[in-house]
Structures are given as structure tokens and as C-alpha cells.
């Protein structure tokens, strides 16, 4: 379910899964006929429908298309972030780490800062507590005026550092 606001889609409901697949394919067609933000958004919505239809390989393909179409800024961050979450959910933390680190290295701004914070969360989730702590320290060093510093401090305390 999206944000817990509606019941989760029942994977045993063939009719519902079929409608989700149709929606995902329709959104992919919209994306293919669009450019820029509209294409990225349509690919990401297609990925969401594939996720709900329990089709991870199709979800991955749509997320990769969104990332390829994104031309920097917030839309690229949105695509990279969702792709990193996908890889983490699939247990491929190394791929998630690579995406987030690459984005942060290329974006020395608020979006790069967000990428580092998500990277710290991925490290924590994968059990790499020391790497998570190093990443949090990087945020403090690179972004000393960050609005995220409160959350960074809370996470450091949770991690025991």
C-alpha cells in the first residue's frame, strides 16, 4: 500500500495484478513519448506500478529508464534515490552505495547532502556501522550549516557514536 493509506495490493488477486501491469505498460508508453521531467515522472510511476504488481525486473527496468532520462537536479536525485532503494530492498547494498556515493560526489549541494544521508542509512541497514558513522561525519564536514545536522546527530547517537 502507498504510505499505508490503502490496503496493500493482494498478489493473489489476478484481476488487480493485471490492471497494475496494464497501468505500468501504459505509463511506460507515456514515458517513451515524453522528454525531460514528464518522461522521468512517467518512468517512476511505471516502476511503482511494477512494484505493486510484484514484478521486480520490470520495476528495475523502469527505474533505470528514469535515471537515464533524468538530466540533473531534483529529477535525477529522485531517480537515483528510488533506484538505490530498489537495490537495497533486493539486498544489493553495494549497488545502492555506488549509486548514492556517485551522486553525492557529483552534486556538492543539498541533493548531494541528501544522497550522503541516504547512504548513511544504507550502510546502517547493511550492518556497516563504521561506514555509516564516517558518512555522517562527512555530512558534518562538508555541510556544516545543514538542516540535516539534527537528524545526523540523532543517527550518530543511535549508532553509538
Amino acid at each position: 500500500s502507498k504510505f499505508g493509506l490503502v490496503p496493500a495490493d493482494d498478489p493473489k488477486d489476478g484481476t488487480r495484478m493485471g490492471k497494475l501491469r496494464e497501468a505500468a505498460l501504459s505509463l511506460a508508453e507515456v514515458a517513451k513519448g515524453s522528454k525531460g521531467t514528464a518522461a522521468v515522472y512517467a518512468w517512476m510511476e511505471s516502476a511503482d506500478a511494477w512494484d505493486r504488481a510484484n514484478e521486480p525486473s520490470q520495476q528495475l527496468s523502469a527505474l533505470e529508464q528514469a535515471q537515464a532520462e533524468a538530466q540533473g537536479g531534483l529529477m535525477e536525485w529522485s531517480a537515483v534515490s528510488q533506484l538505490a532503494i530498489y537495490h537495497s530492498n533486493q539486498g544489493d547494498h553495494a549497488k545502492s552505495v555506488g549509486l548514492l556515493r556517485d551522486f553525492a560526489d557529483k552534486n556538492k549541494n543539498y541533493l548531494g547532502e541528501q544522497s550522503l544521508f541516504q547512504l548513511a542509512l544504507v550502510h546502517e541497514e547493511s550492518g556497516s556501522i563504521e561506514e555509516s558513522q564516517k558518512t555522517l561525519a562527512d555530512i558534518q564536514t562538508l555541510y556544516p550549516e545543514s538542516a540535516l545536522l539534527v537528524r545526523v546527530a540523532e543517527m550518530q547517537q543511535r549508532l553509538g557514536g
Side-chain angles (χ1 to χ4, degrees):
S1 76
K2 197 143 192 164
F3 308 111
L5 299 176
V6 295
D9 296 303
D10 181 0
K12 295 177 184 173
D13 182 345
T15 301
R16 180 71 182 147
M17 294 299 107
K19 287 182 180 185
L20 287 168
R21 287 182 191 98
E22 286 175 25
L25 289 170
S26 178
L27 286 160
E29 287 304 311
V30 169
K32 289 174 188 175
S34 302
K35 296 283 182 211
T37 301
V40 175
Y41 186 78
W43 281 121
M44 290 177 60
E45 288 296 310
S46 178
D48 182 57
W50 285 122
D51 179 37
R52 292 176 59 196
N54 198 28
E55 297 278 355
S57 64
Q58 297 286 5
Q59 178 189 9
L60 174 60
S61 178
L63 288 170
E64 289 173 338
Q65 291 290 340
Q67 183 189 18
E69 188 70 36
Q71 300 294 315
L74 184 59
M75 291 312 294
E76 183 179 6
W77 163 243
S78 296
V80 167
S81 174
Q82 291 303 306
L83 191 53
I85 289 168
Y86 169 87
H87 286 297
S88 283
N89 289 343
Q90 297 299 314
D92 190 350
H93 298 292
K95 183 74 172 177
S96 182
V97 165
L99 286 164
L100 295 168
R101 175 56 70 188
D102 184 56
F103 187 87
D105 289 347
K106 291 179 187 174
N107 295 273
K108 301 297 184 189
N109 55 27
Y110 178 72
L111 299 174
E113 180 183 340
Q114 288 291 317
S115 188
L116 286 176
F117 191 75
Q118 188 172 337
L119 177 58
L121 292 168
V122 169
H123 281 311
E124 179 187 21
E125 180 183 300
S126 69
S128 300
I129 303 305
E130 188 174 312
E131 286 300 315
S132 184
Q133 290 169 329
K134 286 179 187 177
T135 303
L136 293 170
D138 288 346
I139 295 170
Q140 291 172 314
T141 301
L142 294 169
Y143 304 101
E145 304 297 318
S146 172
L148 283 176
L149 292 181
V150 171
R151 292 184 65 200
V152 166
E154 291 169 352
M155 190 170 170
Q156 286 174 319
Q157 185 175 22
R158 184 176 72 240
L159 296 174

